[in-house]
Amino acid sequence: MIGEKKVLFSGMQATGSLTLGNYLGALKNWVSLSEEYECFYSVVDMHSITIRQDAPQLRKRARDLLTLYIAAGLDPEKNCIYYQSHVSGHAELAWILNCFTYMGELNRMTQFKDKAARHADNINAGLYTYPVLMAADILLYQTDVVPVGNDQLQHLELTRDIAQRFNSIYGEVFTIPEPYIGRVGARIMSLQNPSKKMSKSDENPNASIYLMDDPDTVIRKCKRAVTDSEGVIAYREEQPGLRNLIDIYCACTDRTPEETVKEFDGRGYGEFKMAVGEAVVGVLKPLQERYVRLSQDKELIDRVIKENAEKAGYYAQKTLRKVQKKVGFPERIR
Ligand code: TYM
């Protein structure tokens, strides 16, 4: 708790262009929860270097992402929006937690296996211990709730295991965090292959809608989305492409799948795809306009970066000092 409020933490990587999946699975929920919780939203640039990055490009993308958090509707005066690399406590706690995490646990992480397969020439130790840094992010702020998409659930489960293990040895040091998964949109799939999640790293540009795509591109991608030959608008597993489009439509218009199926009963896929495209444009257009305006306000963004790093650092230190004492590091002499 901070004051009267429970704590929320979440983060995104500044790698590649953000997709509609990132928005509907995470960012949209961040905004809806931001009043209720004391929120920390981090641009997790330290996670990004587990894959080789071009330095100037990473710096630019990190700033763009931080700006996008604000453009999506997070008030930087109320929410702590900051760069992970500006708060050294993340790295310090990650080291300690590494010593409380088993290799057997890390070996089971599916995201590690996927990424190791995709980057076989650079399977570095950071990629392997990536989930421990994520646990440190979360536990550093005594987080109660972590809004994420479905693909991060395994990492969150590991975070809980590490926290419980630590607490069972040293007493109640960490709050045990709960995941928050949105009602719809927790797993947006590729538009070209609905058995794969929509991903920033997909090589096929038609598979993902990017948050900065213009309206024509969005509509075109929706029209080309892979569906089936059943010809009936229904929400069922046997029609995964259509099901995904219904999920997207629902998340963008705050409708339920049942309402959507009823609304489009007896109408063709072409018409529905057009409606999906328009619903997505309706969400993205205002976001893009705010983003363009905000990115010109250098002073505001610089102030957010500076002030929030200090705020996050303050809370991070509180937990870190407690943990350091528990594990037996010598006290500082003032
Ligand atoms: P990242 O950057 O891959 O994704 C950011 C968020 O977007 C969600 N997401 C999706 N949701 C629905 N459908 C999709 N197709 C889709 N693709 C991505 C992700 O679930 C995530 O919530 N390891 C994390 C970043 C991280 C973090 C943390 C998150 C680092 N530390 C602490 C929460 C708490 C990651 O790579 O997310």
Side-chain angles (χ1 to χ4, degrees):
M1 299 285 276
I2 294 182
E4 296 286 291
K5 287 186 174 173
K6 288 193 167 181
V7 177
L8 179 157
F9 182 94
S10 203
M12 273 193 204
Q13 289 205 64
T15 8
S17 303
L18 247 55
T19 71
L20 187 65
N22 295 125
Y23 180 75
L24 298 179
L27 201 47
K28 183 170 181 274
N29 296 328
W30 296 7
V31 177
S32 68
L33 296 168
S34 65
E35 291 287 324
E36 193 183 333
Y37 291 90
E38 185 69 41
C39 299
F40 294 85
Y41 292 116
S42 188
V43 170
V44 294
D45 48 356
M46 287 161 68
H47 278 105
S48 295
I49 64 162
T50 54
I51 308 283
R52 216 49 89 223
Q53 303 289 338
D54 172 68
Q57 196 179 48
L58 176 59
R59 231 183 316 276
K60 177 173 185 319
R61 284 189 165 153
R63 190 174 175 104
D64 291 349
L65 182 56
L66 187 130
T67 307
L68 196 75
Y69 284 4
I70 305 172
L74 296 172
D75 179 347
E77 306 295 333
K78 295 192 189 142
N79 301 282
C80 189
I81 296 172
Y82 73 101
Y83 294 133
Q84 182 189 34
S85 63
H86 283 190
V87 179
S88 61
H90 289 257
E92 292 178 75
L93 183 61
W95 172 254
I96 296 174
L97 297 182
N98 265 318
C99 305
F100 292 84
T101 308
Y102 296 114
M103 288 179 67
E105 291 176 308
L106 295 178
N107 288 338
R108 285 198 290 276
M109 295 295 119
T110 53
Q111 200 162 74
F112 170 68
K113 289 187 222 170
D114 285 354
K115 285 194 183 172
R118 270 190 283 128
H119 301 275
D121 56 335
N122 180 22
I123 308 178
N124 60 71
L127 193 64
Y128 186 61
T129 59
Y130 177 115
V132 185
L133 178 57
M134 185 162 157
D137 297 341
I138 296 168
L139 300 178
L140 202 49
Y141 299 96
Q142 304 293 351
T143 302
D144 295 282
V145 64
V146 187
V148 280
N150 237 320
D151 61 330
Q152 297 300 318
L153 279 181
Q154 194 186 31
H155 289 161
L156 214 54
E157 207 41 58
L158 176 68
T159 301
R160 288 165 56 87
D161 289 346
I162 297 171
Q164 270 152 356
R165 183 171 305 138
F166 196 93
N167 283 359
S168 71
I169 304 171
Y170 298 109
E172 294 304 302
V173 178
F174 293 123
T175 303
I176 309 296
E178 297 282 345
Y180 176 96
I181 301 281
R183 196 166 48 90
V184 276
R187 193 166 173 80
I188 300 296
M189 309 309 279
S190 152
L191 298 181
Q192 293 298 312
N193 176 359
S195 63
K196 255 181 22 181
K197 76 163 185 173
M198 187 181 282
S199 160
K200 293 178 227 177
S201 49
D202 206 308
E203 276 145 28
N204 181 348
N206 287 324
S208 310
I209 294 175
Y210 298 105
L211 295 191
M212 292 301 146
D213 277 350
D214 60 56
D216 288 348
T217 308
V218 172
I219 305 267
R220 183 170 39 80
K221 287 180 178 177
C222 288
K223 277 192 186 158
R224 287 197 189 159
V226 168
T227 44
D228 54 70
S229 53
E230 304 253 338
V232 183
I233 297 196
Y235 189 68
R236 44 192 213 118
E237 264 168 44
E238 294 78 1
Q239 292 172 266
L242 195 65
R243 191 185 158 98
N244 188 40
L245 290 176
I246 295 177
D247 278 338
I248 294 175
Y249 184 75
C250 290
C252 290
T253 58
D254 285 323
R255 284 181 174 76
T256 64
E258 295 73 36
E259 285 165 351
T260 304
V261 169
K262 212 186 243 169
E263 185 183 346
F264 288 92
D265 183 35
R267 289 153 80 179
Y269 286 180
E271 203 180 327
F272 179 56
K273 285 177 173 178
M274 193 64 200
V276 176
E278 280 167 1
V280 174
V281 170
V283 169
L284 296 192
K285 213 159 160 248
L287 186 129
Q288 291 169 354
E289 286 165 1
R290 280 197 299 271
Y291 172 79
V292 169
R293 229 178 307 125
L294 274 166
S295 33
Q296 287 154 0
D297 195 343
K298 183 174 181 305
E299 213 174 293
L300 170 80
I301 302 296
D302 283 350
R303 186 164 53 81
V304 169
I305 292 171
K306 181 171 181 294
E307 288 178 1
N308 283 333
E310 284 164 10
K311 179 175 171 189
Y314 169 79
Y315 289 106
Q317 279 304 314
K318 271 174 69 160
T319 301
L320 191 64
R321 291 283 172 263
K322 204 156 136 190
V323 171
Q324 288 171 331
K325 194 167 173 200
K326 290 285 185 190
V327 297
F329 291 173
E331 289 203 28
R332 278 151 214 270
I333 299 172
R334 284 170 212 284

Coordinates of all heavy atoms in Angstrom, one line a residue, residues 23-26 28-30 32-33 147-150 179-188 235 243-244 246-260:
Y23 N -1.6 -2.8 -27.0 CA -2.6 -1.8 -26.5 C -3.8 -2.5 -25.8 O -4.1 -2.2 -24.7 CB -3.0 -0.9 -27.7 CG -4.0 0.1 -27.2 CD1 -3.6 1.2 -26.4 CD2 -5.4 0.0 -27.4 CE1 -4.5 2.1 -25.9 CE2 -6.3 0.9 -26.9 CZ -5.9 2.0 -26.2 OH -6.7 2.9 -25.7
L24 N -4.4 -3.5 -26.5 CA -5.6 -4.1 -26.0 C -5.4 -5.0 -24.8 O -6.2 -5.1 -23.9 CB -6.4 -4.8 -27.1 CG -6.9 -3.9 -28.3 CD1 -7.6 -4.7 -29.3 CD2 -7.8 -2.8 -27.8
G25 N -4.2 -5.7 -24.9 CA -3.9 -6.6 -23.8 C -3.4 -5.9 -22.6 O -3.5 -6.5 -21.5
A26 N -2.7 -4.8 -22.7 CA -2.1 -4.2 -21.5 C -2.5 -2.7 -21.4 O -3.2 -2.3 -20.5 CB -0.6 -4.4 -21.6
K28 N -4.5 -0.5 -22.5 CA -5.9 0.0 -22.3 C -6.3 -0.3 -20.8 O -6.9 0.5 -20.2 CB -6.7 -0.8 -23.3 CG -8.2 -0.4 -23.3 CD -8.9 -1.1 -24.4 CE -10.4 -0.7 -24.5 NZ -11.2 -1.6 -23.6
N29 N -5.9 -1.4 -20.3 CA -6.3 -1.8 -18.9 C -5.5 -0.9 -18.0 O -6.0 -0.5 -16.9 CB -6.0 -3.2 -18.6 CG -6.8 -4.1 -19.4 OD1 -8.0 -3.8 -19.8 ND2 -6.3 -5.3 -19.8
W30 N -4.3 -0.5 -18.3 CA -3.5 0.3 -17.4 C -4.3 1.6 -17.2 O -4.3 2.1 -16.1 CB -2.1 0.7 -18.1 CG -1.2 -0.4 -18.3 CD1 -1.4 -1.7 -18.1 CD2 0.2 -0.3 -18.7 NE1 -0.3 -2.4 -18.4 CE2 0.7 -1.6 -18.8 CE3 1.0 0.8 -19.1 CZ2 2.0 -1.8 -19.2 CZ3 2.3 0.6 -19.5 CH2 2.8 -0.7 -19.6
S32 N -7.5 2.2 -17.5 CA -8.7 2.0 -16.8 C -8.5 1.8 -15.3 O -9.3 2.1 -14.5 CB -9.6 0.9 -17.4 OG -9.0 -0.3 -17.2
L33 N -7.3 1.3 -15.0 CA -7.0 1.0 -13.5 C -6.3 2.1 -12.8 O -6.1 2.1 -11.6 CB -6.1 -0.3 -13.4 CG -6.8 -1.6 -13.9 CD1 -5.7 -2.7 -14.0 CD2 -7.9 -2.0 -13.0
P147 N -1.2 -5.7 -14.4 CA -2.0 -5.9 -15.6 C -1.1 -6.3 -16.8 O -0.2 -5.5 -17.1 CB -2.7 -4.6 -15.8 CG -1.9 -3.6 -15.1 CD -1.1 -4.3 -14.0
V148 N -1.4 -7.5 -17.3 CA -0.6 -8.0 -18.5 C -1.5 -8.8 -19.4 O -2.6 -9.1 -19.0 CB 0.6 -8.9 -18.0 CG1 1.8 -8.2 -17.5 CG2 0.1 -10.0 -17.0
G149 N -0.9 -9.0 -20.6 CA -1.6 -10.0 -21.5 C -1.3 -11.4 -21.0 O -0.4 -11.6 -20.2
N150 N -2.0 -12.3 -21.6 CA -1.8 -13.7 -21.3 C -0.4 -14.3 -21.3 O 0.0 -15.1 -20.5 CB -2.7 -14.5 -22.3 CG -3.7 -15.3 -21.6 OD1 -3.4 -15.9 -20.6 ND2 -4.9 -15.4 -22.2
P179 N -2.0 -11.3 -10.9 CA -2.1 -10.8 -12.3 C -3.5 -10.1 -12.5 O -4.4 -10.5 -11.8 CB -2.0 -12.0 -13.2 CG -2.4 -13.1 -12.3 CD -2.0 -12.7 -10.9
Y180 N -3.5 -9.2 -13.4 CA -4.9 -8.7 -13.8 C -4.9 -8.9 -15.3 O -4.1 -8.4 -16.1 CB -5.0 -7.2 -13.5 CG -6.3 -6.6 -14.0 CD1 -7.4 -6.5 -13.2 CD2 -6.4 -6.2 -15.4 CE1 -8.6 -6.0 -13.7 CE2 -7.6 -5.6 -15.8 CZ -8.7 -5.5 -15.0 OH -9.9 -5.0 -15.5
I181 N -5.9 -9.7 -15.7 CA -6.1 -9.9 -17.2 C -7.4 -9.4 -17.6 O -8.5 -9.6 -16.9 CB -6.1 -11.5 -17.4 CG1 -4.8 -12.1 -17.0 CG2 -6.4 -11.8 -18.9 CD1 -3.6 -12.0 -17.9
G182 N -7.5 -8.6 -18.6 CA -8.7 -7.9 -19.1 C -9.7 -8.9 -19.6 O -9.4 -10.1 -19.9
R183 N -11.0 -8.5 -19.6 CA -12.1 -9.4 -20.0 C -11.9 -9.9 -21.4 O -12.1 -11.0 -21.8 CB -13.4 -8.7 -19.8 CG -14.7 -9.5 -19.8 CD -15.8 -8.7 -19.2 NE -16.0 -7.4 -19.8 CZ -16.7 -7.1 -21.0 NH1 -17.3 -8.1 -21.5 NH2 -16.7 -5.9 -21.5
V184 N -11.6 -8.9 -22.3 CA -11.3 -9.3 -23.7 C -10.0 -8.7 -24.1 O -9.6 -7.7 -23.5 CB -12.4 -8.8 -24.7 CG1 -13.6 -9.8 -24.8 CG2 -12.9 -7.4 -24.4
G185 N -9.3 -9.3 -25.0 CA -8.1 -8.6 -25.6 C -6.8 -9.2 -24.9 O -5.7 -8.7 -25.2
A186 N -6.9 -10.1 -24.0 CA -5.8 -10.6 -23.3 C -4.8 -11.4 -24.2 O -3.6 -11.5 -23.9 CB -6.2 -11.5 -22.1
R187 N -5.4 -11.8 -25.3 CA -4.5 -12.5 -26.3 C -5.0 -12.2 -27.7 O -5.9 -12.9 -28.2 CB -4.5 -14.0 -26.0 CG -3.4 -14.8 -26.7 CD -3.3 -16.2 -26.1 NE -2.3 -16.9 -27.0 CZ -1.0 -16.8 -26.9 NH1 -0.5 -16.0 -26.0 NH2 -0.2 -17.5 -27.7
I188 N -4.5 -11.2 -28.3 CA -4.8 -10.8 -29.6 C -3.9 -11.6 -30.6 O -2.7 -11.7 -30.3 CB -4.6 -9.3 -29.9 CG1 -5.5 -8.5 -28.9 CG2 -4.9 -8.9 -31.3 CD1 -7.0 -8.7 -29.1
Y235 N -18.8 -16.9 -32.6 CA -17.6 -16.8 -31.7 C -17.3 -18.2 -31.2 O -17.8 -18.6 -30.1 CB -18.0 -15.9 -30.5 CG -16.8 -15.5 -29.7 CD1 -15.8 -14.7 -30.1 CD2 -16.8 -15.9 -28.3 CE1 -14.8 -14.3 -29.3 CE2 -15.7 -15.5 -27.5 CZ -14.7 -14.7 -28.0 OH -13.7 -14.3 -27.2
R243 N -12.9 -15.3 -34.6 CA -13.0 -15.1 -33.1 C -12.0 -14.0 -32.7 O -12.4 -13.1 -31.9 CB -12.5 -16.4 -32.5 CG -12.8 -16.5 -31.0 CD -12.2 -17.9 -30.5 NE -11.9 -17.8 -29.1 CZ -12.7 -18.3 -28.2 NH1 -13.8 -18.9 -28.5 NH2 -12.4 -18.1 -26.9
N244 N -10.8 -14.0 -33.3 CA -9.9 -12.9 -33.0 C -10.4 -11.6 -33.4 O -10.3 -10.6 -32.7 CB -8.5 -13.3 -33.7 CG -7.4 -12.3 -33.3 OD1 -7.3 -12.0 -32.2 ND2 -6.6 -12.0 -34.3
I246 N -13.5 -10.7 -33.6 CA -14.5 -10.4 -32.7 C -13.9 -9.8 -31.4 O -14.4 -8.8 -30.9 CB -15.5 -11.6 -32.4 CG1 -16.2 -12.0 -33.7 CG2 -16.5 -11.3 -31.3 CD1 -17.1 -13.2 -33.6
D247 N -12.8 -10.5 -30.9 CA -12.2 -10.0 -29.7 C -11.7 -8.6 -29.9 O -11.8 -7.7 -29.0 CB -10.9 -10.9 -29.4 CG -11.3 -12.1 -28.6 OD1 -12.4 -12.1 -28.0 OD2 -10.6 -13.1 -28.7
I248 N -11.1 -8.3 -31.1 CA -10.6 -7.0 -31.4 C -11.7 -5.9 -31.4 O -11.7 -4.9 -30.8 CB -9.8 -6.9 -32.7 CG1 -8.5 -7.8 -32.6 CG2 -9.5 -5.5 -33.2 CD1 -7.8 -7.9 -33.9
Y249 N -12.8 -6.3 -32.1 CA -14.0 -5.4 -32.2 C -14.5 -5.1 -30.8 O -14.8 -4.0 -30.4 CB -15.0 -6.1 -33.1 CG -16.2 -5.2 -33.3 CD1 -16.2 -4.2 -34.2 CD2 -17.4 -5.5 -32.7 CE1 -17.3 -3.4 -34.4 CE2 -18.6 -4.7 -32.9 CZ -18.5 -3.7 -33.8 OH -19.6 -2.9 -34.0
C250 N -14.6 -6.2 -30.0 CA -15.2 -6.0 -28.6 C -14.3 -5.1 -27.7 O -14.8 -4.3 -27.0 CB -15.3 -7.4 -27.9 SG -16.6 -8.4 -28.6
A251 N -13.0 -5.4 -27.8 CA -12.1 -4.6 -27.0 C -12.1 -3.1 -27.4 O -11.9 -2.2 -26.6 CB -10.7 -5.2 -27.1
C252 N -12.3 -2.9 -28.7 CA -12.3 -1.5 -29.2 C -13.6 -0.8 -28.9 O -13.6 0.4 -28.9 CB -12.0 -1.4 -30.7 SG -10.3 -1.9 -31.0
T253 N -14.7 -1.5 -28.8 CA -16.0 -0.9 -28.7 C -16.7 -1.1 -27.4 O -17.8 -0.7 -27.2 CB -16.9 -1.4 -29.8 OG1 -17.1 -2.8 -29.7 CG2 -16.4 -1.0 -31.2
D254 N -16.0 -1.8 -26.5 CA -16.5 -2.2 -25.2 C -17.9 -3.0 -25.3 O -18.8 -2.7 -24.6 CB -16.7 -1.0 -24.3 CG -15.4 -0.5 -23.7 OD1 -14.5 -1.4 -23.4 OD2 -15.2 0.7 -23.7
R255 N -17.9 -3.9 -26.2 CA -19.0 -4.8 -26.4 C -18.6 -6.2 -25.9 O -17.4 -6.5 -25.8 CB -19.5 -4.8 -27.8 CG -20.3 -3.6 -28.3 CD -20.6 -3.9 -29.8 NE -21.5 -2.9 -30.3 CZ -21.1 -1.7 -30.7 NH1 -19.9 -1.3 -30.5 NH2 -22.0 -0.8 -31.3
T256 N -19.6 -7.1 -25.8 CA -19.3 -8.5 -25.5 C -19.4 -9.3 -26.8 O -20.1 -8.8 -27.7 CB -20.3 -9.1 -24.5 OG1 -21.6 -9.1 -25.1 CG2 -20.4 -8.3 -23.2
P257 N -18.8 -10.4 -26.8 CA -18.9 -11.3 -28.0 C -20.3 -11.6 -28.4 O -20.7 -11.5 -29.6 CB -18.1 -12.5 -27.7 CG -17.1 -12.1 -26.6 CD -17.8 -11.0 -25.8
E258 N -21.1 -11.8 -27.4 CA -22.6 -12.2 -27.7 C -23.2 -11.0 -28.4 O -24.0 -11.2 -29.4 CB -23.3 -12.5 -26.4 CG -22.8 -13.7 -25.6 CD -21.5 -13.5 -24.9 OE1 -21.2 -12.4 -24.4 OE2 -20.7 -14.5 -24.9
E259 N -23.0 -9.8 -27.9 CA -23.6 -8.6 -28.5 C -23.2 -8.5 -29.9 O -23.9 -8.1 -30.8 CB -23.2 -7.3 -27.7 CG -24.0 -7.2 -26.4 CD -23.3 -6.1 -25.5 OE1 -22.2 -5.6 -25.8 OE2 -24.0 -5.8 -24.5
T260 N -21.9 -8.7 -30.1 CA -21.3 -8.6 -31.5 C -21.9 -9.6 -32.5 O -22.2 -9.2 -33.6 CB -19.8 -8.7 -31.4 OG1 -19.3 -7.7 -30.4 CG2 -19.1 -8.5 -32.7

